[in-house]
Amino acid sequence: MIRVHSYESMGTYDGPGLRLVVFLQGCNFRCLYCANPDTIAYKGGTDTDPEEIVRMAVSQKAFFGKKGGITFSGGEPTVQAKALLPLFRRLKEEGIHICLDTNGSIWNKDVEELLQLTDLVLLDIKEFNPARHQTLTKHSNEQTLLTAAWLEANNKPFWLRYVLVPGYSDFAEDIEAMGEQLGKYNMIGRVEILPYHKLGVHKYEAMNLEYLLKGVNENTPEQLEQAAQLFRRHFNTVYIN
């Protein structure tokens, strides 16, 4: 069984084309800006038969067209890598394009096989500087960068996603350093800059949790464009999502 938090049909922000987005339960990061705090706990969600997800994907296949498919997000999907393997194999049998939105921080044989079955990885790099990444997520970014290197070495296409949080992940020197290391990767199809937002703050209130970035303002258009210019020095295709 797979622990599913929720679904989104006809999603357009999590991979190419129209997509069925499956948000999974459980995450090993504690990002200060997390918009889905209700997906963090490992317990919770709805225990779901993988075949139910296959049926949903097949029923929407006509809408996917040539570019669309299914995206697994969260939470952190690789927390459930072992349970996802049979599902991914079935989706491949049905000819459905698979995206995996991951922070890249978990590594074992199940995760490696899962990535091999994935058509496109959406790799979330929260911050390049190790200390700032630790502050922002309460977790190391070492394995995330190793995962990026593995994707490159194994010719696995991926998109780099970066949430631009004022005062936390908008440092020019960190974006430059990341560009110098990853800009040479041929497998990075695009960079997506995700603006910081407060759309999930009401969830913290409902869960009686304190939102720790309430004093941080959302990005101005100028801040987003400045970051995009920094990324464009190193990457060919950069979008503000």
Side-chain angles (χ1 to χ4, degrees), residues 18-140:
L18 292 175
R19 312 194 69 83
L20 169 63
V21 184
V22 184
F23 295 94
L24 302 180
Q25 188 73 29
C27 187
N28 61 325
F29 273 23
R30 296 295 181 267
C31 299
L32 296 180
Y33 56 82
C34 180
N36 298 307
D38 44 338
T39 69
I40 292 176
Y42 292 133
K43 294 182 179 179
T46 302
D47 284 336
T48 305
D49 187 330
E51 281 301 318
E52 182 177 336
I53 298 174
V54 173
R55 286 192 293 271
M56 289 180 65
V58 170
S59 71
Q60 297 182 29
K61 190 174 179 180
F63 299 100
F64 294 157
K66 294 181 179 180
K67 293 184 178 180
I70 188 168
T71 296
F72 292 90
S73 186
E76 170 50 45
T78 59
V79 166
Q80 301 188 57
K82 183 179 287 292
L84 288 172
L85 283 171
L87 171 57
F88 275 40
R89 295 189 193 105
R90 285 285 292 115
L91 292 168
K92 298 295 283 187
E93 290 173 3
E94 298 291 345
I96 292 173
H97 184 276
I98 303 171
C99 275
L100 182 69
D101 184 6
T102 176
N103 62 38
S105 69
I106 298 174
W107 193 260
N108 53 49
K109 290 183 178 180
D110 293 328
V111 172
E112 183 173 359
E113 185 175 352
L114 199 69
L115 292 176
Q116 290 168 341
L117 291 167
T118 301
D119 295 297
L120 176 66
V121 176
L122 310 178
L123 185 66
D124 299 298
I125 297 182
K126 314 296 186 180
E127 235 287 351
F128 188 75
N129 178 281
R132 288 173 177 154
H133 187 279
Q134 187 76 36
T135 297
L136 190 60
T137 69
K138 310 306 178 190
H139 203 286
S140 168

Side-chain angles (χ1 to χ4, degrees), residues 174-209:
D174 296 347
I175 295 173
E176 286 281 4
M178 180 165 56
E180 289 175 8
Q181 179 167 321
L182 303 184
K184 60 190 176 187
Y185 284 8
N186 295 317
M187 288 296 106
I188 297 180
R190 65 192 279 174
V191 172
E192 291 189 335
I193 300 172
L194 309 181
Y196 166 71
H197 63 74
K198 298 182 178 180
L199 299 178
V201 171
H202 69 282
K203 296 181 181 180
Y204 287 81
E205 296 170 351
M207 297 171 67
N208 292 317
L209 297 174

